[in-house]
Amino acid sequence: MNFRKLSIAVLFLTTSGTLLYAQETKKDSVKNEKKIEGVTIQGTTKKGAESNIISLQKKSVEVIERVGSAQLTKQGVGDAATAVTKATGTQKQESSGQIFVRGLGDRYNSTTMNGLPIPSNDPLYKNIDLGIVKTDMIDFLSLEKVYTPRIWGDMAGANVDIVSKVYTGKPYFKVNLGSSVNMNAIQKNNFYLQDGPNFFGTNIINKPSNASVATAGYVFKTSWQNQEKSNPFNSSLGIDFGTNFKIGSQGKLSIFGYGAFDNEYGYVKGIAGGAYDGQNTPLKIYNDSEEYRYLTNSTGLLNLNYKINSNHNINFTTNYIHTTDQKLGNYKGYNRDYYDNDPLQERYQTQLRRATYKVNDLFVNQLRGEHTLSEPLKISWNLGYNRLESKRPDRQQNVTIYDKQMNNSFFASSNPGANNRYYDNLIENDYVGDVHADYKFSDNAKLTLGYSGRYKDSDFRATQYNFRIKLNQGSYFVDPNNYDSFFNLLNYQTGAFDIVTFRGDVKFDPANALIPQFFTSEVFNNAGYANFDYKFNEKLTAQLGVRYDNLSQKMTYNTALLSNGGKIDKNYSKILPSLNIKYALNDFNNFRLSASKTYTTPLLLEMAPFEYEDIDESSLGNTSVYPSDNYNLDLKWEWFPKKNEVISITAFGKYIKNPISRITIASSSNVVSFANVGEGARVFGAEVELRKDLYTRGNSRFYTFINATYLNTEQDLDSDKLLKENTYVSGNFLKTKEKMQGASDFLANVNLGWENKWKSGNLDLVVAYSYIGDNIYSLGFEKRGNMVDKAINTLDAIARFKFSSGVGISLQGKNLLNPTIKRVQDNEGTELVSKEYKRGINLGLGVSYEF
């Protein structure tokens, strides 16, 4: 830990030194000031413009693919998750903001803001849900599919860098109002959510204190009763502004602010939770299910940019995001875990109610600077502190069995966990920093030396109160619409039910029973890197780099899976070389070659021996899982016919040693875990991108943006390796090779747009279509087949009017095709439905006014 403190101290000393130097070197020649000032204005005022995005792509030695704010505005894209899917070879996982790039999912990607890592807002994932990041507060998104040493080494698919907006231009103040409807939700006569949370998502439900539970037992403040909500209309309100002030003769302070609140209602009806054995017999299937959902997002961002003079710049960004997610589900069908007498549901039917409330608070703070100390030497530094608090307060579950013959319901009393309330809380503190120096030997040669450091501590606590039914079946009946009539203080005191945890009974041993499940974690990453750029001539430029990563992972845990507790202490050292070559055939054509090595670490909850239960599946961590090594190769041709046009073709390949995959393990239901399933995996593919003006006349332009990706993936499956390397995760693969989990064979995006400008305003019309092919959600075992997400086609359309008066109007339709979302269990060619539903069409109207 002393080394960690020393590393962070070095960062702060370097920062202080550069700040002092900046104050001492404010007086530069007027000639140099004007030259640099001109370049700076050109580069910053149009960061998000399409022509600038393409120009940077053309000139860069590295392979970069950016999605700018101008394109996102035209397409009506309001969040970063949807924005990233406009780039080639990307897909968004259904019902989440998690991104797959080139067939590689969450664990293989990384997310940064202004170059520094930011934590996930959900402990189930490695990366932040990009769906909560609003595009109004960013300049552009950079999708870095090719590795260079300045990027943190834990990536294989891509690094998504969110570049926050730095204000330039004239002062302004803008108000945005919007409303939309989900056709599924609005057509539902009665819309229900659980008791407790409020409209804005500000009401936080706290876990009862141990003392009150030990003393009184049943002390829960919220009821089990569903609450009806009226007018399920989506709404949004946002403001953003920008201004600047001169400081002295050379200084300038720019301020950009953004604040917004939006909510979203959703409703789906269909099939959920399907799982089958190798003989196609259902283990669990809710063939009559419905889910109500309500989400809120409150976001604030402030960006201060202080240009001391032409050689020195300091920037401070602070971003707070508060999100909530309510989901109330009612599921009817068969579940062997609760009642196995009637799999055909001829007399008995399982009824399950699940209410989930997730609350996430993410606080991102960054202070960074750039300093040209002399003509050849430039120092850049970036310090960040992130804090995450993620809660699932008062998750409720009830299970009853409905007797069709007797027309009454009773509890599945053999399983105390069938009826429960669950509370968890994750707190993470994340300290990150980077400092590097660029030294130009000449116009043709530049050396970069740098250091990156990260320390993250995590503390997770979870308590589940199980309600053990003590009455004999037949001596009571339950109303599934009024569980409070049974679960109440009086029935607890009279002994109708007990409250137990996995550690014991609250009545008889509260001191032990009320100890929560927990795990704590420390992750420390030290990295040094070097990069050398050399321009051989006007056509050929090469970049050679290397990064050394030392990664330490420590964990202490005590959970229901391993109640005796334990520790994990792992340390890895990785040497990560990279090579990027650019050959400019002429002013319009580039050829690029890139090669690198990276690695992939398992997620926190993929390692922690903790089981998280959901309707479709339960997941449990595996202490034996370990990092993969990735070897990457890219070959790309680019053609730039005009300033805002590009046509490119890319061939790429990856070899992943000891790949990590989600696997369905030997259990009676959909329980998944994570393991290094084989010796290697291979990914080969090709990408095509086209941005082209189809027709232009006067101030009108008809254009298209098309990209497509073909993937061929294969991974080794080794049952002996699984048995040898893992303590409590096992499986027997029928195949020795399989496609990679999460990889679709084919992905495509097609956008058609028309823009027309006139004296009093402009009009943008965009139609966007996307296709995602079949992909494996989790690998099967023995005769139980893979869980496969079936192909999806989506279509969105938007019309935006902007008038010179400052008024803007937008009309949009999303998910217009309303495809069926379907997951199946593929048992040797027989597709058995696991879940199936339609999200519903969304129609919306937005109005804005800029002062």
Side-chain angles (χ1 to χ4, degrees), residues 599-817:
Y599 64 93
T600 299
T601 57
L603 282 63
L604 184 61
L605 280 188
E606 291 182 345
M607 293 177 57
F610 175 79
E611 183 172 3
Y612 184 79
E613 298 179 10
D614 211 337
I615 297 301
D616 292 312
E617 67 180 23
S618 297
S619 64
L620 57 90
N622 177 11
T623 58
S624 302
V625 69
Y626 56 89
S628 305
D629 288 324
N630 315 307
Y631 300 86
N632 316 291
L633 182 67
D634 281 67
L635 182 63
K636 186 173 187 177
W637 167 71
E638 299 171 323
W639 177 31
F640 301 90
K642 296 180 182 179
K643 68 174 184 177
N644 59 345
E645 296 182 347
V646 61
I647 300 172
S648 68
I649 300 175
T650 305
F652 60 89
K654 297 178 182 292
Y655 175 74
I656 302 173
K657 188 176 181 180
N658 299 311
I660 305 169
S661 282
R662 180 193 290 114
I663 61 173
T664 304
I665 64 174
S667 70
S668 63
S669 189
N670 280 342
V671 178
V672 301
S673 190
F674 312 90
N676 304 86
V677 296
E679 291 301 318
R682 291 152 290 279
V683 180
F684 301 99
E687 295 175 339
V688 177
E689 178 186 12
L690 184 148
R691 299 179 187 229
K692 189 77 175 67
D693 289 344
L694 302 177
Y695 175 78
T696 58
R697 183 175 181 179
N699 292 325
S700 295
R701 179 169 75 106
F702 184 54
Y703 61 92
T704 187
F705 170 37
I706 300 173
N707 60 53
T709 302
Y710 168 75
L711 284 171
N712 184 294
T713 68
E714 182 183 73
Q715 65 181 348
D716 301 329
L717 301 179
D718 189 337
S719 301
D720 292 335
K721 177 183 175 71
L722 205 63
L723 179 63
K724 180 181 178 182
E725 294 182 348
N726 296 276
T727 305
Y728 58 90
V729 173
S730 62
N732 184 21
F733 299 118
L734 286 181
K735 301 179 181 179
T736 58
K737 297 185 184 297
E738 184 57 274
K739 291 181 180 179
M740 287 197 67
Q741 172 227 320
S744 297
D745 289 343
F746 185 71
L747 307 167
N749 289 288
V750 180
N751 297 266
L752 293 174
W754 178 57
E755 65 178 24
N756 185 52
K757 298 179 181 179
W758 64 92
K759 196 171 183 179
S760 58
N762 60 277
L763 166 67
D764 284 293
L765 297 174
V766 178
V767 177
Y769 166 82
S770 68
Y771 172 83
I772 300 173
D774 292 1
N775 60 89
I776 296 174
Y777 176 76
S778 66
L779 298 173
F781 75 97
E782 296 179 348
K783 291 186 178 181
R784 289 184 60 177
N786 300 327
M787 303 298 289
V788 178
D789 286 335
K790 302 300 290 182
I792 301 175
N793 297 271
T794 58
L795 181 69
D796 300 334
I798 184 167
R800 300 183 69 91
F801 303 86
K802 186 174 182 181
F803 303 97
S804 56
S805 61
V807 175
I809 299 174
S810 65
L811 300 168
Q812 60 182 356
K814 294 186 176 181
N815 196 40
L816 295 175
L817 298 177

Side-chain angles (χ1 to χ4, degrees), residues 440-456:
K440 277 190 173 184
F441 294 96
S442 66
D443 290 339
N444 297 330
K446 183 180 77 171
L447 176 66
T448 300
L449 296 175
Y451 164 80
S452 300
R454 185 180 193 185
Y455 173 76
K456 181 170 73 171

Side-chain angles (χ1 to χ4, degrees), residues 564-584:
N564 292 328
K567 294 183 178 181
I568 300 174
D569 190 350
K570 298 182 179 181
N571 192 281
Y572 308 98
S573 293
K574 304 289 184 180
I575 297 176
L576 311 173
S578 70
L579 172 67
N580 289 284
I581 298 175
K582 172 190 170 185
Y583 182 77

Side-chain angles (χ1 to χ4, degrees), residues 176-180 233-238 260-263 845-847:
N176 296 279
L177 297 171
S179 183
S180 64
F233 290 91
N234 306 333
S235 58
S236 63
L237 168 65
F261 168 81
D262 60 61
N263 62 2
L845 168 68
V847 179

Side-chain angles (χ1 to χ4, degrees), residues 511-576:
N512 185 60
L514 294 174
I515 298 174
Q517 300 184 68
F518 71 87
F519 60 80
T520 60
S521 167
E522 286 186 322
V523 176
F524 185 39
N525 191 329
N526 274 294
Y529 60 92
N531 203 57
F532 185 67
D533 293 73
Y534 189 77
K535 188 174 183 179
F536 292 91
N537 50 51
E538 291 301 317
K539 295 181 178 294
L540 181 62
T541 305
Q543 184 186 83
L544 180 65
V546 65
R547 182 182 180 100
Y548 171 78
D549 268 22
N550 180 263
L551 180 67
S552 172
Q553 296 177 309
K554 296 181 179 180
M555 181 183 293
T556 301
Y557 55 82
N558 189 302
T559 67
L561 291 177
L562 295 173
S563 58
N564 292 328
K567 294 183 178 181
I568 300 174
D569 190 350
K570 298 182 179 181
N571 192 281
Y572 308 98
S573 293
K574 304 289 184 180
I575 297 176
L576 311 173

